[in-house]
Every structure is written in C-alpha cells, then in structure tokens.
Amino acid sequence: MGALSNFYQEQRRWLNAIFGIGVVAAFWSFADWQVNSELFFVGPWRVVTYTYGLFASGEILDDLYISGIEFFWGFGVAAFAGIAFGMIFGISRVFREFFDPWLSAVYATPSVALAPLIIIWFGVDLTAKIVIVLITAVVPIVLNTYTGVLSVGKEFQTLANSFCIPQRQVLYKILIPGSLPYIVTGLRLGISRGIVGVVVGEYFGAYAGLGYQLFKGLDTFNMPLMMSCAAMLAGTGVVLNQVILVIERRMAPWRDSTLQE
Amino acid sequence: MSSSIQVEQVHKTFMKPTGETVHAVGGIDMDLRPGTFYSFVGPSGCGKTTMLHMIHGLLPPTRGRILLDGDEVVGPTPNKAVVFQQALLLPWRNVTDNIQFGIENDRGMSATERREICDKYTQIVGLRGFESHYPHELSGGMQQRVNLARALAVNPEILLMDEPFASLDAQTRLLMQEELQRMVDWKNSGKIVIFVTHDIEEAVFLSDVVFCFSFRPGTIMKEIKVPFPTPRTLRVKEEPEFLQIKHDIWELLADEARKAMEE
Ligand SMILES: Nc1ncnc2c1ncn2[C@@H]1O[C@H](COP(=O)(O)OP(=O)(O)OP(=O)(O)O)[C@@H](O)[C@H]1O
Ligand SMILES: [Mg+2]
C-alpha cells in the first residue's frame, strides 16, 4: 500500500495525464461506436492506425515537410523579430506610443482576414505561407517581450546605474534575463498561433501541407484523413510547447522551484 | 588617493504623479573628510536614503550642490558604491555572480583576480558554501550579506551603506559591526564611509561622527563626534562615556520620532 502510494506521488504528473487521456479516449471510442459511420466520425484507435498508414506509405511526408518549412521560417523569423522589436518597444517610450495602435490592430485582426490579401501579394507559393505564419505568430511575441521589459523593476535600472554598468550592457545583463519568463510565454503563444497560421495559409490555395490535406479530406469526405491531420497539428503544438519549457528550465535555473509547482 | 565631499545647502523635493510634493531633505550642509566613518540616524522617512542617493549621484538635488573633490556630483562613479536598503540582488545570478556585478567591467582586473576578490568577500560575509545558490534560495539576512559583499568587492573610496545590517540576526549583527572595521579599514585607506542606521548604539559604536537628522524635511540637528580610538571592540559599548553619547542622541531623536509616528 505504502509503496504504491509512494509510486503514485512520485509519478503523479504522468499518471494523471495518462489517466486523463484514457478517460477521454474511452468517451471518444464510445461516441464512435454510437455514431458508427466513418463519414462523420472515427475513434481514437482508427486515428492512430490511419496516421501510421500515412507515414508507412510515405504519402504524408511531403506535406509534413512543406508545413514544417512554412512553420520553421515563419516562426523562426517571428521569434527573432518579435523579441528584438519587443525589446525596442519596452525600452523606447516614443516607439511604443507611436506603434502601439498598429500592434493592437494586427493583434485583433484574425489571421483568416489577412491571409487572402497576403496570398494575392505573395502568390500561392511558400513565401506567402511563411509571411502568414510570421504575422500571426509575431504579435504575441512582441507584446509579451515588451510587457516583460516593462515588468523589470526600475530598481534594477538604478542598481545597474549605481554600479556604472553601461546602457548597452543593461540590455543583456538586466532586461533580457528579467523579461525571460514573459518572452517564453510569448513564444508559446506564438507557436499556437503559428500553427493556426499554417492551416489558414494552406486553406487559401496550396499544393501540399498538413492543412492542405485536412481540407482535401473535407472535399473528399475522408474523415480519417481530416482527424489524423488535426491530431498531428495538435501533437506538434504540444511537443513544441514542451520543448520551449525544457529550454526555459535549462536557461533559467533560478526559476526552477517556481516552475515545478 | 583620498577624496572629500562637500554638501552645500542641499534640498530635495519629490513630485508625486498626483502632483503632491514631498519635501524630503530641507537644507543640509556636510563636510566629509577622508578616513572618516559617518552615520546618519533619524526618524523613518526623514530623508536619509534620499541624501545617500544624492551623494552617489543617483538623484539630483532640487537645490544646493554636492561636491566631490571640488567637482559637482552628476552621477554615479566607480569610486563610490552603495549597499542598498533592499538587497536588490539579480534573481538570475547566483551568489558569486551577484557579488561580481560591480567589478566585471573593470578592465584592469584579470579573471583570476576577480575570482579571488569574490572568494574573499564571500568568505568575509560568511557565505562560503552558498556560492552557487540563487537569491530565492537564501534567507533575508543572507541576501543582505550578498548586497554588502557586492559593494565591498568594488573597494570604493566612498562606501555608502543604507541599513546594511537591518535584516541580520542580533549575533551576526554584532560580529559584522566588529568585522566591518577590519574589512573597510577607512583610517588607513583614507576612505569615507556613510552608514545609515536606526540603531543608535550601532551608529555610535562604528562612527567617528554621527549626524542626527530631524523629521522631514530632513536637516542635521546635531553632529556628534565619537572620541574613542578605532578599531573598537564591543566592550566599548559598556563605557560610561559611550552610554552618555548614546543617551544624548536618544533624547534628541525621541521627539522627532514622535513627530514621525503622529504623521
Ligand atoms: N521617489 C520618490 N517619490 C516620492 N517620494 C519619495 C520618493 N523617495 C522618497 N520619497 C519620500 O521622501 C521621504 C524620505 O524618504 P527616504 O527614503 O529618504 O527616508 P529614510 O530616512 O531613508 O527612511 P527610512 O529610515 O524609513 O528608510 C519620505 O517621505 C518618502 O516618502
Ligand atoms: Mg531609508
């Protein structure tokens, strides 16, 4: 008894997560059994085997590659530009006041509304999708980075000033480490929004990609394909979020004890 | 090299965002000589921290001026260092790296020298074994000692200390009072030390001169010279003359403290 409850305490996070997945999978299977039509619904096991089939036959690899490229470049540029601009926003009040309305406007505009314009400007090829991912992902990164910079207490500026630390060094000795938690939040939001961007971009004309396959499934009444693509998109989001969290734990050991809560 | 500081008719008025003004410092004159330990005592909110920050150049005076070797102080310089009232440690740096904060830009210093200095002050403030701990893993008193070591590591000519021992336990505090004299050795090195404290006994024990501040706007009510030779041992605190000085300051400040309480 004691050993078992100890085991549960130690592995609690995983056990609970697995249990949660199991419960949902059970309901999902039950619903599938009730609906009993692959045209409308497929169960979790079918999604797994179908996805496996897509990989085994190799037919999905191209799409994964294309979507991957779109996301990689779009999000990569968004991360760099977002953090850089966020820093400038945080440091320069004039800059902030000048561009804040635009930032809010882009943030409030759904990517679906911008995508058609971008497709027209950049064509149906990769560039357009990269731009769509970039634009959707960059805003939360900018916003969070600059909130982070503002959250770094003025007293730390005073401290740096008092020890004659040059302004240039204040950036990487105070502002960047101080706003790291916010930057991480921004990146995580950026990932989710970037994945949405991939799907939206591929909706408005594409020749390959996970989103493209999803909409192809819609056109061809291929429910397993649609659900499999949706599952892969969701899985990517989960994995990338975990990657960011692991990186943060590595880079920010001083936050360890708070993170574990 | 030793410096002197002149504070001439300095006032400081703060303007709050609401438009309200606070007259924190109300016309202070001081003539600070090298090789001397000064204390500021006075009721809470009377402008001690403000005065200290103005001497460092972190805040400009509203009126009057502060001269360091004849030149007006316009900002912090590397020959001054502050022990802040709040520890103000960088949460993302461990003990060693926090202590190193003030000396890592010193180009005349090699990495090994820097390391040695850090080790030395880590040892002095009793944090051996905690080098790689982060601030959130330290007690309040330990954080305050890192704050102290960070300023001492700079080996400044002018050391400005804002209640550095306030969060230490009583025993450590007494030990640090003795230790500080050895560490800073202001007589021989010609340094100026300014030490803000609420503990009158501590002020008298450490200082050559105690400045007694009035309630806000802070002015110097009295400048008291403490005649005992330095370095002193804790036994000095039992001498009749010591007790007399302590008592006099107490009397002087009691009324001001009452005014502060009634605010
Ligand atoms: N940045 C500021 N803006 C507005 N008012 C301020 C500011 N800094 C200090 N004050 C006010 O100036 C007065 C003096 O403050 P100061 O911190 O110098 O007091 P102190 O003597 O150090 O007090 P304590 O012993 O409690 O630390 C206080 O009334 C405080 O409210
Ligand atoms: Mg103070």
Side-chain angles (χ1 to χ4, degrees), chain B residues 245-260:
Chain B
I245 296 174
K246 198 175 124 182
H247 179 77
D248 290 347
I249 298 178
W250 218 120
E251 295 273 278
L252 195 61
L253 293 183
D255 279 344
E256 300 301 312
R258 223 165 280 129
K259 283 185 213 161

Side-chain angles (χ1 to χ4, degrees), chain A:
Chain A
M1 184 58 208
L4 201 64
S5 86
N6 264 349
F7 176 76
Y8 174 72
Q9 281 308 328
E10 278 161 24
Q11 308 293 331
R12 201 189 63 213
R13 255 187 88 206
W14 295 111
L15 290 174
N16 283 352
I18 290 170
F19 185 72
I21 292 171
V23 169
V24 172
F27 273 101
W28 183 355
S29 305
F30 177 75
D32 176 42
W33 177 64
Q34 285 289 312
V35 176
N36 193 23
S37 157
E38 212 173 84
L39 224 59
F40 292 105
F41 205 71
V42 289
W45 184 242
R46 178 83 175 101
V47 171
V48 171
T49 54
Y50 192 87
T51 309
Y52 177 76
L54 289 175
F55 274 95
S57 68
E59 59 190 294
I60 199 73
L61 296 180
D62 256 357
D63 302 287
L64 276 176
Y65 176 75
I66 294 291
S67 291
I69 292 280
E70 291 165 5
F71 182 82
F72 178 83
W73 285 108
F75 178 75
V77 175
F80 272 98
I83 292 171
F85 276 102
M87 285 286 154
I88 298 173
F89 268 95
I91 293 165
S92 159
R93 195 163 87 203
V94 175
F95 197 88
R96 187 160 64 236
E97 286 167 356
F98 214 83
F99 288 108
D100 223 17
W102 287 104
L103 202 61
S104 312
V106 179
Y107 193 57
T109 312
S111 50
V112 209
L114 290 178
L117 307 174
I118 291 165
I119 298 280
I120 288 179
W121 294 331
F122 289 88
V124 194
D125 62 359
L126 267 181
T127 326
K129 275 94 178 182
I130 292 173
V131 173
I132 291 170
V133 173
L134 167 63
I135 289 181
T136 40
V138 78
V139 184
I141 301 175
V142 174
L143 279 176
N144 277 281
T145 305
Y146 107 60
T147 311
V149 175
L150 294 182
S151 81
V152 177
K154 260 195 129 57
E155 66 272 15
F156 286 127
Q157 284 273 3
T158 308
L159 175 76
N161 184 11
S162 146
F163 281 98
C164 304
I165 308 293
Q167 271 306 309
R168 185 172 33 83
Q169 291 185 16
V170 170
L171 180 67
Y172 63 87
K173 284 188 176 170
I174 309 280
L175 296 181
I176 292 181
S179 50
L180 199 63
Y182 288 83
I183 296 179
V184 168
T185 306
L187 291 177
R188 293 176 63 186
L189 289 170
I191 285 175
S192 315
R193 293 196 29 142
I195 291 174
V196 175
V198 167
V199 178
V200 168
E202 291 173 5
Y203 177 76
F204 294 99
Y207 307 112
L210 277 184
Y212 166 77
Q213 289 294 342
L214 189 97
F215 294 114
K216 197 174 93 181
L218 182 65
D219 290 340
T220 56
F221 301 103
N222 187 345
M223 182 52 76
L225 177 62
M226 289 169 71
M227 290 187 76
S228 165
C229 287
M232 279 187 270
L233 288 164
T236 310
V238 172
V239 169
L240 290 178
N241 254 306
Q242 286 301 320
V243 169
I244 295 270
L245 285 181
V246 169
I247 293 175
E248 188 199 16
R249 226 161 284 179
R250 273 282 168 84
M251 283 177 55
W254 68 89
R255 302 188 65 235
D256 241 350
S257 47
T258 43
L259 265 178
Q260 269 151 19
E261 284 312 306

Side-chain angles (χ1 to χ4, degrees), chain B residues 14 16 22 24 43-50 85 163 198 216:
Chain B
F14 288 106
K16 290 192 192 161
V22 181
S44 180
C46 70
K48 303 182 296 294
T49 297
T50 306
Q85 189 166 1
E163 304 191 31
H198 282 280
R216 197 169 51 238

Side-chain angles (χ1 to χ4, degrees), chain B residues 16 26 32 47 49 55 58 101 122 156 172 174 180 201 233 257:
Chain B
K16 290 192 192 161
L32 309 178
T49 297
I55 291 173
L58 285 169
F101 187 67
T122 308
T172 313
L174 291 182
L180 185 67
E201 186 179 273
T233 56

Side-chain angles (χ1 to χ4, degrees), chain B residues 63-196:
Chain B
R63 255 199 290 151
R65 55 182 197 158
I66 298 168
L67 304 175
L68 172 60
D69 294 330
D71 296 323
E72 191 154 353
V73 171
V74 288
T77 43
N79 60 352
K80 313 186 220 100
V82 186
V83 180
F84 287 93
Q85 189 166 1
Q86 280 85 32
L88 280 190
L89 305 183
L90 300 175
W92 49 89
R93 287 183 174 223
N94 63 25
V95 167
T96 302
D97 294 341
N98 264 298
I99 293 177
Q100 193 174 286
F101 187 67
I103 53 174
E104 59 199 9
N105 277 325
D106 189 340
R107 285 184 205 292
M109 200 182 276
S110 73
T112 23
E113 277 177 277
R114 216 167 277 150
R115 207 26 52 156
E116 278 165 15
I117 291 174
C118 284
D119 281 350
K120 178 176 150 199
Y121 287 102
T122 308
Q123 162 94 13
I124 286 177
V125 299
L127 287 174
R128 196 40 58 90
F130 290 91
E131 286 89 346
S132 56
H133 281 57
Y134 286 92
H136 76 266
E137 299 165 324
L138 304 175
S139 72
M142 290 161 106
Q143 293 183 12
Q144 194 56 28
R145 282 182 271 159
V146 177
N147 181 15
L148 179 63
R150 177 175 59 193
L152 292 176
V154 178
N155 192 22
E157 271 181 66
I158 294 152
L159 180 61
L160 308 166
M161 310 173 91
D162 201 349
E163 304 191 31
F165 300 158
S167 50
L168 302 186
D169 62 272
Q171 285 78 26
T172 313
R173 189 166 182 154
L174 291 182
L175 293 177
M176 293 297 282
Q177 288 173 3
E178 270 194 332
E179 188 65 11
L180 185 67
Q181 306 181 73
R182 208 175 54 70
M183 281 187 298
V184 183
D185 191 22
W186 56 90
K187 282 272 146 61
N188 294 318
S189 56
K191 291 179 188 197
I192 295 178
V193 184
I194 305 178
F195 189 97
V196 177

